[in-house]
Amino acid sequence: MTGDGTRTVRAGLPEAEAYAPTLPGPVFAAHYHLPGDAVGPYTYGRDGNPTWSLLERAISELESPGTDAETVVFSSGMGAISAVLLSQLRQGDAAVLPSDGYQLLPALVERLAGYGVAVRTAPTGEDAQLTALDDRTKLLWLETPSNPGLNVCDIRRLAEAAHARGALVAVDNTLATPLGQRPLELGADFAVASGTKALTGHGDVLLGYVTCRDPRLAGEVRAWRKTVGAIPGPMEAWLAHRSLATLQLRVDRQAATALALAEALRDRPEITGLRHPGLPTDPAHQVAAGQMRGGRFGCVVSFTLPDKERADRFLAALRLVDDATSFGGVRSTAERRGRWGGDAVAEGFIRFSVGAEDPDDLIADVLRALDVASGAASDTAPAAASG
């Protein structure tokens, strides 16, 4: 299998068996028949599950095709992130994390500090985390593109610098997905993601995963999952695997529409700080184009409106977009990110996740909502409809 579409449709499927389903249903089991010694592929429900196994194999085929990479799935993206950090770092170690990453990273930094781990942070853009590396660094954590600011760093450059100092490298690949970026091919030791977002794409599953090429590292992450019990339910794992079949279709449609939306917003006078890595004028474009695959720059567009009130009016005026958190789903969502706290963004900052709607309809709805928010149009106009 060479094409992304072929790979996503076939990833992780078992060998064909007469009269059996092509993708077996979820296996609900807390325990298994276990005669004799406690050995074998499935012994207890916290250790393994056949439904996880198929999904893990599928993700490995996407994150690192043609290798013996191993994936460990978790009950959430934060479960996966925590597993890497807490399985690899010990008292006296140092770690470098992004200062502009996902908003729960600071909570983990506080926890790591309590365990005696020295944590330094630096922004994602312009490879600023290079300046924080030293000979004590055990782990470098990258998030590229970053959430929500959409900054990008050069994974290969940073990985080479970290490895030269004896440090491991983990990359949060949530926004890019394995179709848009393969961190392991760029030198990372861990590819980590929240499967809640674009990987599954329907807003109905909480999931996370870690993929490694080094079986020792994968084993340490797997042991952490078993110890803390951060295991996914079989139904969630099955839903995630089912959703992978449409990943390429969704990612390509959403990336193309996100770029079209960003281009449509460039000349809006009320918008500042417009970001999307696919825009040729974006500060991150050159680096992103060098490491993100197939022109897939993600489904997220961010921008800032003049103030909280204008942002709230804009969100309320949207008709084809849900005011909701998260990103990567087939239905477009947008939110005023500052409502959560924890992100260094202005009160009018909008994180917009482009779905699979018709591009013309979605863009028309956004432009109309901007007009309504600025008082230039009535809120009674219907959204555009496809012919």
Side-chain angles (χ1 to χ4, degrees), residues 90-107:
R90 302 288 186 273
Q91 184 176 9
D93 290 339
V96 175
L97 276 68
S99 58
D100 54 346
Y102 180 54
Q103 64 163 350
L104 276 181
L105 284 181

Side-chain angles (χ1 to χ4, degrees), residues 128-146:
Q129 286 172 273
L130 282 173
T131 63
L133 293 172
D134 64 18
D135 291 338
R136 288 182 58 206
T137 305
K138 176 71 180 297
L139 179 67
L140 169 64
W141 187 275
L142 308 177
E143 184 178 306
T144 179
S146 63

Side-chain angles (χ1 to χ4, degrees), residues 212-255:
C212 309
R213 289 181 174 176
D214 185 332
R216 177 185 62 84
L217 295 177
E220 290 171 355
V221 171
R222 189 174 293 108
W224 182 264
R225 177 182 68 180
K226 176 181 178 178
T227 302
V228 301
I231 59 173
M235 190 66 189
E236 285 79 3
W238 182 84
L239 284 169
H241 198 168
R242 178 213 60 176
S243 297
L244 285 184
T246 60
L247 179 62
Q248 189 234 0
L249 301 174
R250 292 185 280 106
V251 165
D252 284 355
R253 173 63 172 261
Q254 290 169 268

Side-chain angles (χ1 to χ4, degrees), residues 132-203:
L133 293 172
D134 64 18
D135 291 338
R136 288 182 58 206
T137 305
K138 176 71 180 297
L139 179 67
L140 169 64
W141 187 275
L142 308 177
E143 184 178 306
T144 179
S146 63
N147 170 33
L150 302 182
N151 289 305
V152 170
C153 62
D154 186 330
I155 296 172
R156 191 181 299 280
R157 181 188 182 202
L158 285 156
E160 289 175 354
H163 289 157
R165 293 181 177 273
L168 296 169
V169 179
V171 176
D172 187 328
N173 204 35
T174 300
L175 199 146
T177 81
L179 295 191
Q181 187 169 265
R182 292 181 184 150
L184 301 183
E185 293 182 355
L186 297 169
D189 301 288
F190 304 91
V192 188
S194 168
T196 307
K197 312 296 194 298
L199 190 85
T200 56
H202 291 78

